[in-house]
Short mmCIF file of all heavy atoms in Angstrom, two decimals:
data_model
loop_
_atom_site.label_atom_id
_atom_site.label_comp_id
_atom_site.label_asym_id
_atom_site.label_seq_id
_atom_site.Cartn_x
_atom_site.Cartn_y
_atom_site.Cartn_z
N GLU A 121 -6.79 25.26 8.55
CA GLU A 121 -8.31 25.05 8.64
C GLU A 121 -8.68 23.71 9.29
O GLU A 121 -9.78 23.55 9.67
CB GLU A 121 -8.92 25.19 7.26
CG GLU A 121 -8.36 24.24 6.19
CD GLU A 121 -7.26 24.89 5.42
OE1 GLU A 121 -6.76 25.91 5.78
OE2 GLU A 121 -6.84 24.21 4.44
N ARG A 122 -7.69 22.79 9.44
CA ARG A 122 -7.96 21.54 10.07
C ARG A 122 -7.49 21.54 11.49
O ARG A 122 -7.71 20.54 12.29
CB ARG A 122 -7.41 20.38 9.30
CG ARG A 122 -8.09 20.10 7.98
CD ARG A 122 -7.99 18.71 7.42
NE ARG A 122 -6.71 18.15 7.49
CZ ARG A 122 -6.38 17.11 8.36
NH1 ARG A 122 -7.26 16.64 9.18
NH2 ARG A 122 -5.19 16.56 8.29
N MET A 123 -6.86 22.55 11.94
CA MET A 123 -6.30 22.65 13.27
C MET A 123 -7.26 23.39 14.19
O MET A 123 -7.79 24.45 13.85
CB MET A 123 -4.95 23.37 13.31
CG MET A 123 -3.84 22.50 12.62
SD MET A 123 -3.54 21.04 13.46
CE MET A 123 -2.91 21.60 15.08
N LYS A 124 -7.37 22.97 15.44
CA LYS A 124 -8.20 23.61 16.45
C LYS A 124 -7.72 24.98 16.74
O LYS A 124 -8.48 25.92 16.89
CB LYS A 124 -8.16 22.76 17.73
CG LYS A 124 -9.01 23.29 18.83
CD LYS A 124 -9.07 22.36 20.03
CE LYS A 124 -9.96 22.85 21.11
NZ LYS A 124 -9.96 22.02 22.28
N SER A 125 -6.36 25.18 16.68
CA SER A 125 -5.80 26.49 16.94
C SER A 125 -5.90 27.49 15.75
O SER A 125 -5.70 28.68 15.97
CB SER A 125 -4.25 26.31 17.22
OG SER A 125 -3.57 25.90 16.08
N GLY A 126 -6.27 26.95 14.60
CA GLY A 126 -6.43 27.82 13.44
C GLY A 126 -5.09 28.16 12.73
O GLY A 126 -5.06 29.00 11.96
N ARG A 127 -3.99 27.49 13.20
CA ARG A 127 -2.65 27.73 12.64
C ARG A 127 -2.14 26.41 12.00
O ARG A 127 -2.34 25.31 12.62
CB ARG A 127 -1.75 28.23 13.65
CG ARG A 127 -2.07 29.58 14.19
CD ARG A 127 -1.05 30.16 15.11
NE ARG A 127 -0.27 29.15 15.80
CZ ARG A 127 0.26 29.31 16.94
NH1 ARG A 127 0.13 30.36 17.65
NH2 ARG A 127 1.01 28.31 17.50
N ALA A 128 -1.45 26.52 10.92
CA ALA A 128 -0.89 25.23 10.28
C ALA A 128 0.14 24.68 11.33
O ALA A 128 0.76 25.38 12.17
CB ALA A 128 -0.18 25.61 9.00
N HIS A 129 0.26 23.41 11.23
CA HIS A 129 1.18 22.64 12.18
C HIS A 129 2.00 21.64 11.44
O HIS A 129 1.46 20.86 10.66
CB HIS A 129 0.25 21.95 13.22
CG HIS A 129 0.99 21.25 14.32
ND1 HIS A 129 1.74 22.00 15.25
CD2 HIS A 129 1.14 19.95 14.62
CE1 HIS A 129 2.26 21.02 16.09
NE2 HIS A 129 1.93 19.84 15.67
N ARG A 130 3.28 21.71 11.66
CA ARG A 130 4.26 20.83 10.98
C ARG A 130 4.63 19.72 12.01
O ARG A 130 5.10 20.03 13.10
CB ARG A 130 5.46 21.54 10.53
CG ARG A 130 5.17 22.45 9.38
CD ARG A 130 6.39 23.27 8.85
NE ARG A 130 7.60 22.58 8.77
CZ ARG A 130 8.01 21.99 7.59
NH1 ARG A 130 7.26 22.12 6.54
NH2 ARG A 130 9.16 21.34 7.59
N VAL A 131 4.41 18.49 11.60
CA VAL A 131 4.71 17.30 12.50
C VAL A 131 5.79 16.54 11.93
O VAL A 131 5.68 15.98 10.82
CB VAL A 131 3.42 16.43 12.64
CG1 VAL A 131 3.69 15.25 13.51
CG2 VAL A 131 2.23 17.21 13.02
N PRO A 132 6.91 16.42 12.59
CA PRO A 132 8.03 15.53 12.17
C PRO A 132 7.60 14.05 12.21
O PRO A 132 6.82 13.71 13.20
CB PRO A 132 9.16 15.83 13.12
CG PRO A 132 8.49 16.43 14.28
CD PRO A 132 7.25 17.04 13.88
N LEU A 133 7.88 13.35 11.20
CA LEU A 133 7.52 11.89 11.14
C LEU A 133 8.66 11.03 11.60
O LEU A 133 9.76 11.14 10.99
CB LEU A 133 7.05 11.52 9.73
CG LEU A 133 5.82 12.26 9.25
CD1 LEU A 133 5.57 11.94 7.76
CD2 LEU A 133 4.61 11.96 10.04
N SER A 134 8.35 10.22 12.52
CA SER A 134 9.42 9.26 12.97
C SER A 134 9.59 8.17 11.85
O SER A 134 8.77 8.05 11.01
CB SER A 134 8.98 8.60 14.28
OG SER A 134 7.90 7.78 14.07
N ASP A 135 10.67 7.40 12.04
CA ASP A 135 10.87 6.29 11.08
C ASP A 135 9.67 5.39 11.05
O ASP A 135 9.26 4.93 9.98
CB ASP A 135 12.16 5.53 11.39
CG ASP A 135 13.43 6.29 11.18
OD1 ASP A 135 13.38 7.36 10.40
OD2 ASP A 135 14.51 5.94 11.70
N ARG A 136 9.11 5.08 12.22
CA ARG A 136 7.97 4.12 12.32
C ARG A 136 6.80 4.76 11.59
O ARG A 136 6.01 4.04 10.93
CB ARG A 136 7.68 3.74 13.76
CG ARG A 136 6.51 2.87 13.95
CD ARG A 136 6.70 1.48 13.19
NE ARG A 136 5.49 0.72 13.25
CZ ARG A 136 5.08 -0.12 12.34
NH1 ARG A 136 5.77 -0.34 11.27
NH2 ARG A 136 3.93 -0.76 12.50
N ALA A 137 6.53 6.03 11.87
CA ALA A 137 5.32 6.68 11.18
C ALA A 137 5.51 6.65 9.73
O ALA A 137 4.51 6.37 9.01
CB ALA A 137 5.20 8.13 11.76
N ARG A 138 6.70 6.86 9.21
CA ARG A 138 6.94 6.81 7.76
C ARG A 138 6.73 5.37 7.27
O ARG A 138 6.14 5.15 6.21
CB ARG A 138 8.38 7.27 7.45
CG ARG A 138 8.52 8.75 7.55
CD ARG A 138 9.93 9.17 7.27
NE ARG A 138 10.34 8.86 5.88
CZ ARG A 138 11.61 8.67 5.54
NH1 ARG A 138 12.53 8.90 6.32
NH2 ARG A 138 11.86 8.38 4.30
N GLU A 139 7.14 4.40 7.99
CA GLU A 139 6.95 3.04 7.67
C GLU A 139 5.47 2.66 7.52
O GLU A 139 5.11 1.97 6.51
CB GLU A 139 7.63 2.07 8.62
CG GLU A 139 9.06 1.93 8.64
CD GLU A 139 9.54 1.09 9.75
OE1 GLU A 139 8.77 0.29 10.31
OE2 GLU A 139 10.78 1.13 10.01
N LEU A 140 4.70 3.10 8.46
CA LEU A 140 3.22 2.91 8.38
C LEU A 140 2.64 3.52 7.13
O LEU A 140 1.84 2.92 6.46
CB LEU A 140 2.58 3.55 9.66
CG LEU A 140 2.76 2.82 10.96
CD1 LEU A 140 2.21 3.65 12.06
CD2 LEU A 140 2.08 1.42 10.96
N LEU A 141 3.07 4.79 6.84
CA LEU A 141 2.47 5.50 5.71
C LEU A 141 2.92 4.82 4.34
O LEU A 141 2.11 4.65 3.48
CB LEU A 141 2.94 6.96 5.64
CG LEU A 141 2.31 7.77 6.76
CD1 LEU A 141 2.96 9.17 6.88
CD2 LEU A 141 0.77 7.93 6.54
N GLU A 142 4.14 4.41 4.34
CA GLU A 142 4.65 3.75 3.12
C GLU A 142 3.99 2.41 2.85
O GLU A 142 3.87 1.99 1.70
CB GLU A 142 6.17 3.62 3.15
CG GLU A 142 6.91 4.98 3.05
CD GLU A 142 8.40 4.86 3.36
OE1 GLU A 142 8.86 3.79 3.94
OE2 GLU A 142 9.06 5.88 3.12
N ALA A 143 3.46 1.75 3.89
CA ALA A 143 2.83 0.45 3.79
C ALA A 143 1.39 0.58 3.38
O ALA A 143 0.79 -0.44 3.03
CB ALA A 143 2.97 -0.37 5.09
N LEU A 144 0.85 1.76 3.43
CA LEU A 144 -0.54 1.90 3.12
C LEU A 144 -0.87 1.87 1.69
O LEU A 144 -0.02 2.30 0.86
CB LEU A 144 -1.07 3.27 3.62
CG LEU A 144 -1.18 3.56 5.10
CD1 LEU A 144 -1.55 4.97 5.38
CD2 LEU A 144 -2.15 2.60 5.72
N PRO A 145 -1.92 1.17 1.28
CA PRO A 145 -2.33 1.18 -0.16
C PRO A 145 -2.74 2.52 -0.59
O PRO A 145 -3.33 3.22 0.24
CB PRO A 145 -3.38 0.11 -0.24
CG PRO A 145 -4.05 0.15 1.14
CD PRO A 145 -2.90 0.42 2.07
N ARG A 146 -2.51 2.86 -1.77
CA ARG A 146 -3.03 4.14 -2.35
C ARG A 146 -4.05 3.85 -3.37
O ARG A 146 -3.80 2.96 -4.29
CB ARG A 146 -1.92 5.02 -2.93
CG ARG A 146 -0.93 5.47 -1.83
CD ARG A 146 -0.09 6.56 -2.35
NE ARG A 146 0.96 6.89 -1.37
CZ ARG A 146 1.74 7.95 -1.44
NH1 ARG A 146 1.54 8.84 -2.43
NH2 ARG A 146 2.61 8.21 -0.54
N PHE A 147 -5.22 4.56 -3.34
CA PHE A 147 -6.26 4.32 -4.27
C PHE A 147 -6.43 5.52 -5.12
O PHE A 147 -6.50 6.68 -4.69
CB PHE A 147 -7.61 4.06 -3.53
CG PHE A 147 -7.48 2.91 -2.62
CD1 PHE A 147 -7.23 3.09 -1.25
CD2 PHE A 147 -7.58 1.59 -3.05
CE1 PHE A 147 -7.24 2.03 -0.36
CE2 PHE A 147 -7.45 0.51 -2.21
CZ PHE A 147 -7.27 0.73 -0.79
N GLU A 148 -6.53 5.25 -6.47
CA GLU A 148 -6.69 6.33 -7.41
C GLU A 148 -7.93 7.18 -7.15
O GLU A 148 -8.94 6.66 -6.81
CB GLU A 148 -6.81 5.75 -8.81
CG GLU A 148 -6.81 6.77 -9.89
CD GLU A 148 -6.82 6.14 -11.28
OE1 GLU A 148 -6.30 5.06 -11.50
OE2 GLU A 148 -7.37 6.81 -12.20
#
Side-chain angles (χ1 to χ4, degrees):
E121 56 270 8
R122 290 203 317 106
M123 291 296 298
K124 184 176 180 180
S125 67
R127 295 187 333 210
H129 184 68
R130 291 175 47 92
V131 180
L133 297 174
S134 66
D135 290 341
R136 179 62 185 148
R138 286 179 60 203
E139 286 176 16
L140 287 172
L141 291 169
E142 289 169 348
L144 292 174
R146 294 194 188 194
F147 302 101
E148 187 175 330

